[in-house]
Amino acid sequence: MSEKLFEFMTAGSPRAVSGAIEQFTVGLGSLTALIVPWESDRVTLCMAVTVTQGEGWALEHTNLGTVRLTDAGNETTRVEVLADKPEHAEQQKFSKLFDRFSSELQTRFQAMQ
């Protein structure tokens, strides 16, 4: 189950914004944001935000939430941030990481409008 944290508008197409979000997460270390093709369509791109633990071939990805990018026309994208409800104590420790990511995402990309 996901909970919508917030939404805002930003400049650029969903494809361009998704690329910028992917680059943004590179600087955050263990977080990744990847497009989920089977949850996306012609107008909306969904990105899974995960935290990665482990090394080499033994990487474990824990889903923290979703960023939904919807084409609003005129090179503008609506950004929705949804947090996954933690089911286990281990997942709860990552909630603060996702909250910080979400806040920085909004600050950085909302300013681009």
Side-chain angles (χ1 to χ4, degrees):
M1 187 79 172
S2 295
E3 171 188 357
K4 187 174 184 177
L5 297 179
F6 53 82
E7 70 179 70
F8 60 91
M9 303 297 281
T10 191
S13 69
R15 181 67 60 189
V17 174
S18 71
I21 291 172
E22 287 175 348
Q23 289 301 312
F24 169 66
T25 60
V26 168
L28 299 177
S30 61
L31 277 182
T32 57
L34 302 169
I35 293 174
V36 182
W38 56 90
E39 292 182 9
S40 302
D41 58 35
R42 188 176 68 72
V43 178
T44 303
L45 290 177
C46 290
M47 301 182 78
V49 179
T50 64
V51 65
T52 307
Q53 301 175 84
E55 295 180 21
W57 293 99
L59 287 178
E60 179 183 335
H61 294 271
T62 302
N63 197 47
L64 303 177
T66 302
V67 177
R68 186 177 298 136
L69 307 171
T70 305
D71 190 342
N74 297 322
E75 285 298 305
T76 304
T77 296
R78 180 177 53 159
V79 179
E80 295 175 87
V81 177
L82 302 108
D84 284 357
K85 295 279 189 184
E87 297 176 13
H88 308 287
E90 186 172 315
Q91 291 174 324
Q92 290 176 350
K93 69 182 179 181
F94 297 124
S95 292
K96 290 183 182 181
L97 181 63
F98 186 73
D99 290 343
R100 189 174 79 235
F101 159 79
S102 300
S103 178
E104 290 177 17
L105 179 82
Q106 183 177 24
T107 299
R108 182 177 189 157
F109 287 87
Q110 192 168 16
M112 292 172 53
Q113 185 177 16

